[in-house]
Amino acid sequence: MKIFYTLILLFLCFTLTFGSKLKDSTKTIKSYKIDTPLVLDGKLTESAYQNIPITNFTQKDPDEGKPASEKTEMWIFHDNENLYFGGKFYDSKPDSIDVTLMRRDNFVESDWIWIFIDPFNDNRTGNYFAVNAGGSISDGTLYNDGARNESWDGIWESETIVDNEGWSAEIKIPFSQLRFNEAKEMVWGINLNRDIKRRHEMSYLVMVPKNGSGFVSHFADLTGLDGIIPKNRFELLPYIVQKAQYLRNKENDPFYSENQYQTSVGADVKFGVGSNLNVDLTINPDFGQVEVDPAVVNLSANEIYFSEKRPFFIEGESIFEFGTGGANSNWGFNFGTPTLFYSRRIGRTPQGYPTTDGIVDQPIDTRILGAGKLTGKIDETWTIGVLSAVTERTNASIFTNTKNIVKEEVEPLTHYGVFRTRKEFNDGDQAIGTIFTSVNRDLSNKNLKLFLTDQAYTYGLDGWTFLDKDRMYVLTGMVASSYVHGTKESLLNIQKQSYRYFQRPDRTYMRLDKNMTSLSGMFARFAINKQEGNFYFNSALGTATPGFEFNDLGYQWYADRINGHVVAGYRWYEPDNIVRQKSIYLGFSRNSDYEDNVSRIGFYSRGQVQFVNYWKLEMESGYNFESTSTTATRGGPKIIIPENFSVGMYVATDSREKMIFTQGIGYWKDDLGSYDFSAEFEVEWKPNSQLNISVEPEYDFTKSIYQWVGAFVDENATKTYGSRYVFGEMEQKTFSANIRIDWTFSSKLTLQFYVQPLISVGNYVNFKELAEANTYKTNLYGENGSKIEYNSETEKYSITPDKNSNDSFSFNNPNFNFKSLRGNAVLRWEFLPGSILYFVWSHDKLNFQNPGEFHLGKDFSNLLESDANNIFLIKFSYWLDV
């Protein structure tokens, strides 16, 4: 433990001692004060446009460093309440201007104007606003000196016009939508970017070369915003939802009718604490309008990760990110930065299930009673984020065999908390951040105490320091600790998690402790990254102790790991007659645990090419030496993993065309004969400026020589510690498709369709058991005196493992045929700024007929004939600027 605190101290001392300042911006842009608000009509007729415009734009693509091919004139104005941008974008071929309409934040290549603002002038964070010639908009936040997050949706307005000279735009951004430090004399950061689709041209007011690094830190200075005092921000967004559900239900389900029609109300509240901090509150939130999660077939012991889609949680999510700041590239190599805050934990599916027999009305999620967030910056160097949420005590209802209705608790009353802050020094050359998370449950239910902890905490420190005045090299670091507390039974459950397996019989370090009531652990990782230039370098060393546990509010897929890697590469940005730019990377990585069992050691390579016609080609390959798995037997002894290799290729056509094609294929194989082949193909069609259709079919074929079936206790299995670990050879075929249709009637009215059919079939043969621990030797059932029999009526296999045994065991036929069809349609009308009316239809079907048999036509027909869940809802929300 002392080594971790020593590393923290050394990193802090180094960070606070050394560093250099960036040079001041070489460009200064002025915002002109106006007395009369601009009339947003896109016509640029006001007298304010007599001021000198901004005109000097430089290409980044296609001809880096050359002046923009078309003339651009832009102006910046302000009054006491709003910041205005006006632009005239001349075009020698006005008929070629792209006016594609698209839903908000659904970026499609077009003719755009981008506005980037750094209100704190901190050289790292800010906001962006984009408008295309057709009037479509996109906005979001900037962090880590240029990374973008589109989750933020501000309330602002724009108008565009296309004429015979080109196109023009006017934009109004209320100061109340921006966070900044009020001062008599303010200097903000500013950058502008114009995109011309037909030329694939991107030109900037301040152009950062492709072999450079950073973005926000290069912005020009925006002056003239003196004495701005925005009004106190207070926004109220009440909503009402009417839902109608027509669901698959059991015959004579007593709960069906009462769940069929539901009405709910709630509200979101936003208000400012000064001009630099923002508070978001939500009361009884509803997220029924978000896109459904895709269906998956998970044969592993690990949980599937789903991205957050709920607006309250994704807005400002970059503030809560841990361990990724400072560097512009973070390689993982089967290790990665721990996700200490995984917001999908809040409002999750209840983790308990009733113990009473009968017809169960099981809730599909846990209602969030209320949640609040405080985000922003105390000053230009100090960022803060605080989140607090409470989910209700959730009960399932059971209609018992005696025809009584009883309730059982399946999720306790829970509080979730996150605190995140970061302080920067020397104009961002160094930074130190901290994060703290907590989960506190009111565990009054005895059944829930058996597998849920009552307290869970994590604490982390992260930061960076640049090693030279040009910010070419950066050292990043992070350390974290965790602590969980609960009953002996709940801690036993945690010790047996798939990323830990303390119960492994051949384990020598931190074995299972049945009397444990708390668990703690540590994590640390340090990396060095070369930020810019043609030559590239990245290396890291990290560790997570076996007791590191953060899954209550985080997403955890590893513990007990020591990792190191090194990556070197070269990038060519100078175009020739065939290629515009290209790159190649080669890496080496090693993973082991605290017993020095090497779980992965090997090489990785990747190459990328962009041709002069803007087609793209990517290729990658990997090779791993023989290694050891401590997880394949799912709590049993370790086994040997043979050598394996992988290759993959991805091709994409020019994104400017009306029809875009992308194709990817991958292949993996090991020395025992297991292999996987995957192929995906996507076509995106834009028949006109309002319609976008994409279809992405995928096919995957897997043959696994070692596919898990189960473990069975048998004291005669002396070579495998008294249990038989059974595997089968499995062939799995999976076909799926992602189908999307976006129909944009206007920038305020959109219709979206999403449909995902999925068919996955697995067929198991040649059942066998691990013959000896720490090998990959097996005993095939049906040979050397062992017997295997199958009962088609009970659908079970019976096994007599050897000729000297009178004992037998059985297991269910593991064959499967999972078929799913799910999707939704969302009509979104922003009838006033910030006020939205949603019409939503969600649909899903499931079918499991014919396990082990793959017949695409028959399977799809069976799926279409299955009963469906249909949910219809209308959501009305009204924005009030109080």
Side-chain angles (χ1 to χ4, degrees):
M1 193 71 69
K2 292 181 179 179
I3 188 172
F4 291 105
Y5 293 111
T6 302
L7 289 171
I8 294 171
L9 182 61
L10 290 174
F11 186 78
L12 285 169
C13 293
F14 188 84
T15 295
L16 298 177
T17 303
F18 297 98
S20 57
K21 283 179 170 282
L22 284 177
K23 295 180 180 179
D24 292 336
S25 301
T26 56
K27 290 186 178 181
T28 299
I29 305 299
K30 183 178 181 181
S31 175
Y32 297 96
K33 179 71 177 293
I34 57 176
D35 297 323
T36 304
L38 286 185
V39 177
L40 259 64
D41 54 15
K43 295 181 180 180
L44 311 188
T45 56
E46 286 85 353
S47 60
Y49 289 104
Q50 299 302 314
N51 289 295
I52 298 174
I54 304 165
T55 58
N56 296 323
F57 284 72
T58 304
Q59 289 188 52
K60 187 169 186 173
D61 273 310
D63 300 315
E64 182 177 325
K66 292 185 178 180
S69 64
E70 302 284 356
K71 182 181 178 181
T72 296
E73 294 181 341
M74 287 200 70
W75 294 263
I76 304 176
F77 312 114
H78 69 276
D79 55 25
N80 290 328
E81 295 185 352
N82 304 294
L83 183 63
Y84 301 93
F85 293 84
K88 180 65 179 181
F89 312 107
Y90 295 91
D91 201 305
S92 56
K93 294 183 179 180
D95 292 340
S96 299
I97 295 172
D98 184 82
V99 293
T100 297
L101 291 173
M102 62 204 79
R103 60 182 170 87
R104 185 172 188 161
D105 293 331
N106 183 35
F107 178 75
V108 175
E109 193 155 0
S110 181
D111 284 63
W112 290 91
I113 180 64
W114 295 79
I115 298 165
F116 303 96
I117 307 173
D118 176 9
F120 284 100
N121 201 23
D122 62 7
N123 293 321
R124 298 200 64 78
T125 65
N127 301 80
Y128 69 86
F129 305 84
V131 180
N132 85 332
S136 298
I137 66 170
S138 180
D139 58 2
T141 57
L142 302 169
Y143 66 100
N144 199 27
D145 199 9
R148 300 182 189 179
N149 187 306
E150 66 182 24
S151 61
W152 178 76
D153 285 336
I155 309 298
W156 55 285
E157 301 176 65
S158 64
E159 290 292 337
T160 61
I161 286 180
V162 178
D163 55 29
N164 57 7
E165 291 184 317
W167 65 286
S168 57
E170 289 184 312
I171 298 167
K172 180 176 75 174
I173 304 170
F175 284 116
S176 63
Q177 298 296 302
L178 302 172
R179 304 294 95 200
F180 56 91
N181 283 326
E182 294 179 21
K184 290 184 178 180
E185 297 181 1
M186 293 191 297
V187 177
W188 291 11
I190 184 75
N191 204 353
L192 306 168
N193 162 220
R194 179 185 176 182
D195 293 349
I196 302 175
K197 177 181 176 180
R198 72 177 184 278
R199 291 195 173 103
H200 210 297
E201 180 177 321
M202 292 178 284
S203 55
Y204 289 81
L205 172 65
V206 180
M207 190 274 293
V208 181
K210 295 173 186 175
N211 65 353
S213 68
F215 181 61
V216 182
S217 55
H218 297 269
F219 283 9
D221 290 336
L222 178 62
T223 63
L225 301 174
D226 299 335
I228 298 299
I229 304 177
K231 70 174 185 177
N232 291 328
R233 181 186 185 190
F234 192 94
E235 301 174 14
L236 180 63
L237 191 71
Y239 80 83
I240 183 170
V241 172
Q242 179 59 57
K243 183 182 296 185
Q245 302 183 106
Y246 304 93
L247 309 177
R248 296 184 297 267
N249 66 295
K250 299 177 182 178
E251 188 176 354
N252 300 320
D253 186 345
F255 303 107
Y256 182 73
S257 60
E258 68 181 58
N259 291 332
Q260 194 167 5
Y261 302 101
Q262 299 176 0
T263 303
S264 60
V265 295
D268 294 336
V269 180
K270 295 176 182 284
F271 61 89
V273 180
S275 62
N276 54 340
L277 295 172
N278 197 66
V279 174
D280 294 82
L281 303 174
T282 185
I283 303 169
N284 190 28
D286 174 84
F287 306 110
Q289 76 278 8
V290 302
E291 186 176 287
V292 297
D293 291 321
V296 294
V297 177
N298 183 18
L299 299 180
S300 74
N302 296 319
E303 176 188 11
I304 297 296
Y305 180 91
F306 291 107
S307 59
E308 180 61 86
K309 300 178 182 180
R310 299 170 295 177
F312 175 82
F313 292 105
I314 61 176
E315 185 172 313
E317 63 184 352
S318 59
I319 291 177
F320 296 94
E321 289 187 1
F322 173 74
T324 58
N328 59 14
S329 181
N330 292 279
W331 294 72
F333 286 103
N334 206 35
F335 190 71
T337 302
T339 307
L340 298 182
F341 175 43
Y342 178 43
S343 57
R344 293 288 296 250
R345 297 289 184 232
I346 304 174
R348 66 190 301 171
T349 300
Q351 300 170 80
Y353 198 81
T355 58
T356 303
D357 293 333
I359 300 175
V360 178
D361 180 24
Q362 176 82 355
I364 61 174
D365 52 30
T366 304
R367 189 162 68 100
I368 301 172
L369 296 175
K373 263 192 318 190
L374 171 69
T375 55
K377 304 195 75 165
I378 296 174
D379 57 31
E380 64 272 12
T381 67
W382 194 353
T383 304
I384 188 170
V386 182
L387 183 143
S388 179
V390 177
T391 57
E392 72 173 351
R393 191 183 309 278
T394 304
N395 294 312
S397 299
I398 307 100
F399 186 77
T400 67
N401 298 331
T402 58
K403 299 185 177 179
N404 293 319
I405 295 179
V406 298
K407 293 182 180 294
E408 283 195 33
E409 186 178 335
V410 291
E411 184 73 22
L413 178 71
T414 306
H415 174 263
Y416 300 90
V418 186
F419 174 81
R420 175 71 165 130
T421 186
R422 183 171 64 219
K423 176 71 173 178
E424 298 179 15
F425 307 89
N426 298 324
D427 286 343
D429 277 355
Q430 293 86 33
I432 288 291
T434 185
I435 188 172
F436 175 77
T437 73
S438 66
V439 178
N440 300 96
R441 299 184 174 98
D442 180 12
L443 287 174
S444 57
N445 181 278
K446 293 182 179 180
N447 183 48
L448 296 180
K449 286 183 178 180
L450 298 178
F451 59 91
L452 293 180
T453 57
D454 58 3
Q455 302 173 57
Y457 305 98
T458 67
Y459 177 74
L461 287 171
D462 64 341
W464 68 80
T465 180
F466 286 93
L467 303 178
D468 61 313
K469 66 179 181 179
D470 296 322
R471 290 189 170 184
M472 182 175 292
Y473 294 91
V474 62
L475 174 68
T476 61
M478 67 192 99
V479 295
S481 62
S482 66
Y483 173 84
V484 295
H485 178 274
T487 63
K488 294 178 182 179
E489 293 82 3
S490 66
L491 266 294
L492 196 63
N493 179 59
I494 286 177
Q495 293 178 76
K496 293 181 177 181
Q497 288 298 305
S498 60
Y499 44 82
R500 186 170 291 114
Y501 288 140
F502 279 3
Q503 74 272 32
R504 211 182 74 229
D506 54 356
R507 190 177 183 92
T508 60
Y509 185 81
M510 287 192 72
R511 294 177 59 85
L512 191 72
D513 182 353
K514 295 182 178 181
N515 294 314
M516 182 182 290
T517 57
S518 65
L519 180 68
S520 60
M522 297 286 294
F523 167 90
R525 195 181 202 214
F526 294 88
I528 187 169
N529 191 67
K530 185 175 184 291
Q531 299 281 86
E532 60 183 53
N534 295 86
F535 174 72
Y536 176 84
F537 178 82
N538 178 277
S539 184
L541 180 64
T543 183
T545 66
F548 189 49
E549 171 64 33
F550 57 94
N551 207 44
D552 286 272
L553 189 50
Y555 175 80
Q556 185 166 1
W557 54 274
Y558 68 85
D560 191 10
R561 188 164 294 186
I562 301 171
N563 164 272
H565 79 256
V566 59
V567 180
Y570 200 86
R571 303 172 289 198
W572 294 264
Y573 298 105
E574 302 76 18
D576 54 36
N577 294 331
I578 300 175
V579 174
R580 290 193 176 275
Q581 57 186 34
K582 55 185 179 288
S583 62
I584 187 168
Y585 302 90
L586 178 64
F588 173 81
S589 66
R590 183 185 189 274
N591 280 315
S592 65
D593 63 10
Y594 274 64
E595 298 173 342
D596 201 30
N597 296 306
V598 178
S599 58
R600 175 176 292 188
I601 180 169
F603 294 96
Y604 171 81
S605 65
R606 186 177 75 196
Q608 301 168 303
V609 175
Q610 184 186 55
F611 297 97
V612 292
N613 63 355
Y614 293 101
W615 282 42
K616 295 180 181 178
L617 171 65
E618 296 182 13
M619 299 188 69
E620 62 179 0
S621 64
Y623 175 80
N624 294 303
F625 297 95
E626 183 178 277
S627 57
T628 301
S629 173
T630 58
T631 60
T633 55
R634 305 195 182 187
K638 56 190 178 184
I639 67 172
I640 298 298
I641 300 298
E643 298 175 63
N644 57 83
F645 72 92
S646 63
V647 293
M649 183 178 68
Y650 170 84
V651 180
T653 62
D654 188 347
S655 59
R656 298 172 298 173
E657 302 297 330
K658 283 191 172 183
M659 191 165 287
I660 305 167
F661 299 93
T662 59
Q663 181 175 349
I665 57 173
Y667 183 76
W668 172 92
K669 188 178 186 303
D670 70 14
D671 274 4
L672 288 182
S674 296
Y675 65 92
D676 178 87
F677 171 79
S678 62
E680 60 181 52
F681 179 81
E682 181 181 7
V683 56
E684 182 179 357
W685 181 37
K686 296 171 282 189
N688 57 48
S689 63
Q690 294 178 285
L691 191 61
N692 187 302
I693 302 170
S694 67
V695 180
E696 184 181 4
E698 300 178 15
Y699 176 75
D700 185 274
F701 179 85
T702 299
K703 182 177 181 180
S704 175
I705 302 298
Y706 265 96
Q707 184 60 46
W708 176 253
V709 173
F712 305 91
V713 176
D714 187 342
E715 61 183 13
N716 295 317
T718 56
K719 292 185 178 181
T720 53
Y721 298 91
S723 289
R724 300 191 184 274
Y725 299 93
V726 180
F727 298 85
E729 295 182 13
M730 182 201 68
E731 289 187 355
Q732 181 183 6
K733 300 175 183 178
T734 301
F735 171 82
S736 65
N738 293 300
I739 303 168
R740 301 178 188 273
I741 301 175
D742 289 343
W743 194 352
T744 308
F745 305 103
S746 71
S747 60
K748 307 295 185 182
L749 181 63
T750 61
L751 178 62
Q752 300 165 239
F753 292 95
Y754 169 76
V755 180
Q756 187 220 22
L758 181 142
I759 299 171
S760 185
V761 179
N763 184 50
Y764 289 71
V765 297
N766 296 335
F767 295 99
K768 51 199 170 184
E769 65 179 42
L770 181 65
E772 185 177 347
N774 202 24
T775 70
Y776 48 68
K777 299 176 182 178
T778 57
N779 296 324
L780 183 65
Y781 293 142
E783 294 183 351
N784 299 321
S786 64
K787 297 180 182 178
I788 179 170
E789 297 177 343
Y790 181 66
N791 188 322
S792 58
E793 294 183 1
T794 61
E795 297 183 344
K796 287 189 174 183
Y797 285 95
S798 295
I799 307 296
T800 303
D802 59 64
K803 61 183 178 181
N804 298 321
S805 175
N806 294 320
D807 297 328
S808 64
F809 60 90
S810 63
F811 52 83
N812 293 325
N813 186 347
N815 288 352
F816 61 88
N817 188 328
F818 176 81
K819 298 177 283 292
S820 167
L821 178 66
R822 58 173 59 187
N824 67 351
V826 180
L827 179 67
R828 182 185 187 274
W829 177 32
E830 188 174 358
F831 56 92
L832 290 172
S835 300
I836 304 173
L837 181 64
Y838 291 98
F839 293 88
V840 182
W841 169 45
S842 295
H843 175 89
D844 76 86
K845 291 183 174 183
L846 292 173
N847 186 275
F848 304 94
Q849 290 177 266
N850 306 316
E853 302 176 15
F854 184 86
H855 302 288
L856 186 60
K858 183 178 179 180
D859 287 334
F860 197 68
S861 178
N862 289 338
L863 178 59
L864 293 178
E865 294 172 359
S866 301
D867 293 334
N869 288 330
N870 287 289
I871 301 175
F872 302 89
L873 70 82
I874 300 174
K875 181 177 181 179
F876 175 84
S877 60
Y878 192 81
W879 180 67
L880 297 170
D881 187 11
V882 181

